[in-house]
Structure formats: C-alpha cells, structure tokens
C-alpha cells in the first residue's frame, strides 16, 4: 500500500460561525475549511456577510457563537494582534495605506509587524539597527518588485500618487512581508476596471506559486473575477452559505443564480 504524504491539511476551519447584530444575523452558522496552500474564494452579493466573516477571523468581532480554528487552536477571544502573530494577515476593502508615506515606508510596516518586542533593546545598538534596516528594506523591495519593478525603483514615491492597482500591490506586499500563513484579501479588485482586475488576479495567482504553503482567502463580489484562480469557492447569501465547490460546480446552482439575480 502506498501512503500519500503530500495531502494538504486544513489550516483554517470555522464551525457554526454566527454573528448577530441586534435582530440581524449577519452570519448564520457557517462551516468552512481552507487547506494549506489553497486559494479559496468567498463570494456573495452586497451585505451577504463576507466582511463580517473576515472581522471574526481577525478578532475584530467576537462571534456570537461557533468557533474559528487556526491550525488546531481556537482563536476566538484572541486580540487582532495575537491573531496576526499566529499568521492571519488581512487587507481591507478600502485600501489602508499611509498616504503621506513612501512606498518603502509603507512596506516596512509589514516587516516590523512580525517583530517581537525585544526589538526595542536594539534601538540602542545603532550599527545593528542600521544593518537590520537595510536588510528589511531590501526584503521589502524584493517583494514589491515581483508585482511591478517600477514600484521597487520608485520606492521613495508617496503612495498617494499611485494608481489604485499599484496601491493594492503595495498593500498586498505589506501583508506578505508580515509572513502570513493565511492571507485574507477583502475585495482586492474593488474600484478597478476589468483590465486592472485581470492584472491583479494574475498577481495573486503568482503569489501562490511563490509562497506555496500560504493559504489565500479572497472575498469577491463578482463571481467571474475569481473563476480562474480559486480552487474552491463558497457562496454566502444573507449570512448563510448556500453552496460550495469548484467554480464550475457552483456557477449553475439555481440558488446561487437566484441570489445574484435577487441582489442585482
Ligand atoms: N458592526 C455592525 N453592526 C451592525 N450591522 C452590521 C455591522 N457590520 C455589518 N453589519 C451588517 O451585516 C450585514 C453583512 O455586512 P458585511 O459588511 O459583512 O457584508 P459584505 O458581504 O461584506 O457586503 P459588501 O459586498 O457590500 O462589502 C449587512 O447587513 C451589514 O449592514
Ligand atoms: Mg464587504
């Protein structure tokens, strides 16, 4: 008998995950499991509960009930910082960069995010800090360069001067520099035209080739946008998961079609 060692284990599992805001169940008993190294798409019309789901995975909201397991450990009740340290890093639906800071400065925030508090001791060791800084800057630029070499060569540019797609690339690079095991992207293509959207989706697919163990959970409003990249998709509608499978498996599901027709 051959034993297969190359199966992938689940990195993140949610069970009966529920979030109630007053009388509204924004998320209703959602079970989801994402494997190591998988690109997973979370899709649904406006108000379906997608961002609320991210907010529970990252500790911004504490679920009303249910559990979130990251690598065999429940993260419910942990702070956003503890969850980030455990390897879950997100980007936001509206780009969150420091507009008056340069590309490099924004990126360095990502590399310093994963530092332990002991770093501050080294603040008094100038030479060590200087070499450390150079190393981090080089690492940061190497990551952003993979998206677009111009972003690395123009590292002193203020991010406020960049196009939306380049701002997203900086934001995603910053997240990558925090070395996530699970990268959460909340509508990364929001506000982009179809050609920019295609470029960005191509970039995200390439990320996975570069970091094969990292799992990526992408929220998208428009199902077709992630059709070519997500191995699995789950569809949310009014807080309930109504379908899951490959894009081809779910696209003709009558409930999914109805959810989209109802929403538009
Ligand atoms: N903090 C909150 N308090 C009360 N209601 C909330 C809160 N956050 C979200 N909601 C509600 O929960 C529901 C789900 O919202 P959510 O932002 O998760 O949807 P979404 O799927 O991300 O939508 P979109 O595609 O528009 O981003 C909505 O009805 C929203 O109004
Ligand atoms: Mg949202």
């Amino acid at each position: 008998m051959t034993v297969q060692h190359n199966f992938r284990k689940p990195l993140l599992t949610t069970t009966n995950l529920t979030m109630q805001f007053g009388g509204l169940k924004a998320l209703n008993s959602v079970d989801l499991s994402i494997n190591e190294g998988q690109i997973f798409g979370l899709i649904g019309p406006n108000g379906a509960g997608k961002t609320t789901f991210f907010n529970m995975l990252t500790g911004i909201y504490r679920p009303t009930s249910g559990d979130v397991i990251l690598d065999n450990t429940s993260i419910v009740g942990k702070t956003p910082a503890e969850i980030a340290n455990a390897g879950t890093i997100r980007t936001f639906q509206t780009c969150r960069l420091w507009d008056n800071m340069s590309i490099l400065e924004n990126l360095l925030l990502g590399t310093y995010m994963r530092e332990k508090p002991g770093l501050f001791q080294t603040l008094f060791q100038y030479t060590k800090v200087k070499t450390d800084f150079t190393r981090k800057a080089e690492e940061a630029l190497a990551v952003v360069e993979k998206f677009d070499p111009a972003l690395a060569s123009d590292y002193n540019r203020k991010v406020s001067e960049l196009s939306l797609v380049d701002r997203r690339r900086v934001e995603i690079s910053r997240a990558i520099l925090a070395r996530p095991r699970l990268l959460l992207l909340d509508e990364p293509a929001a506000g982009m035209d179809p050609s920019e959207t295609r470029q960005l989706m191509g970039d995200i697919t390439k990320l996975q080739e570069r970091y094969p163990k990292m799992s990526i959970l992408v929220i998208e409003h428009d199902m077709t946008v992630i059709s070519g990249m997500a191995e699995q998709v789950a569809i949310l509608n009014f807080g309930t998961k109504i379908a899951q499978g490959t894009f081809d498996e779910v696209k003709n599901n009558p409930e999914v079609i109805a959810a989209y027709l109802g929403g538009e």
Side-chain angles (χ1 to χ4, degrees):
M1 199 182 90
T2 342
V3 181
Q4 273 201 301
H5 289 291
N6 62 343
F7 61 86
R8 292 182 302 178
K9 49 182 192 326
L11 175 65
L12 177 93
T13 305
T14 69
T15 49
N16 297 316
L17 200 62
T18 301
M19 185 78 225
Q20 183 116 21
F21 296 115
L24 173 82
K25 251 193 191 151
L27 224 68
N28 186 11
S29 204
V30 172
D31 292 336
L32 213 81
S33 187
I34 299 169
N35 288 337
E36 245 178 19
Q38 188 172 46
I39 300 187
F40 197 105
L42 185 63
I43 311 185
N46 283 126
K50 306 179 296 294
T51 299
T52 301
F53 188 73
F54 269 21
N55 285 338
M56 282 189 288
L57 300 192
T58 51
I60 294 177
Y61 296 153
R62 193 191 172 108
T64 310
S65 58
D67 209 351
V68 180
I69 311 283
L70 183 74
D71 204 19
N72 302 318
T73 308
S74 173
I75 55 102
V76 172
K78 294 197 173 165
T79 65
E82 285 167 340
I83 294 171
N85 277 329
T88 301
I89 306 286
R90 75 181 290 179
T91 64
F92 290 86
Q93 197 161 347
T94 37
C95 232
R96 291 200 187 174
L97 292 170
W98 297 89
D99 274 338
N100 286 318
M101 284 165 68
S102 69
I103 296 174
L104 179 60
E105 287 165 331
N106 270 282
L107 292 172
L108 285 170
L109 292 171
T111 67
Y112 281 100
M113 239 175 101
R114 58 168 199 257
E115 292 297 334
K116 302 281 173 283
L119 166 79
F120 292 100
Q121 293 167 358
T122 63
L123 285 178
F124 300 100
Q125 300 171 304
Y126 179 71
T127 326
K128 186 164 185 294
V129 171
K130 208 174 133 197
T131 9
D132 190 52
F133 180 83
T134 312
R135 193 176 47 75
K136 286 195 164 62
E138 280 166 3
E139 183 193 350
L141 295 178
V143 169
V144 80
E145 188 177 30
K146 292 280 184 354
F147 282 99
D148 183 355
L151 289 172
S153 51
D154 291 347
Y155 63 83
N156 267 329
R157 256 183 103 178
K158 273 191 188 175
V159 293
S160 58
E161 295 168 8
L162 301 177
S163 68
L164 186 58
V165 65
D166 276 343
R167 289 165 61 82
R168 267 298 172 217
R169 287 169 167 148
V170 173
E171 204 191 6
I172 296 172
S173 299
R174 184 179 65 185
I176 293 287
L177 285 159
R179 299 203 184 135
R181 305 172 65 197
L182 175 65
L183 175 66
L184 306 176
L185 305 175
D186 194 349
E187 298 205 30
M192 291 180 198
D193 65 32
S195 131
E196 291 173 322
T197 301
R198 265 194 307 278
Q199 281 179 47
L200 191 72
M201 293 302 142
D203 285 340
I204 295 171
T205 312
K206 275 190 253 155
L207 270 184
Q208 210 220 359
E209 289 158 17
R210 227 172 294 139
Y211 307 97
K213 283 190 98 174
M214 178 173 76
S215 311
I216 306 177
L217 177 57
V218 194
I219 288 182
E220 242 310 317
H221 175 83
D222 179 351
M223 207 163 36
T224 52
V225 164
I226 59 165
S227 60
M229 65 189 261
E231 199 183 310
Q232 282 277 303
V233 296
I235 320 286
L236 283 181
N237 191 31
F238 294 117
T240 301
K241 186 173 92 174
I242 57 171
Q244 185 182 330
T246 63
F247 177 74
D248 285 334
E249 281 163 359
V250 300
K251 74 173 181 208
N252 295 320
N253 180 313
E255 239 187 302
V256 173
I257 294 166
Y260 270 89
L261 292 179
E264 239 96 272

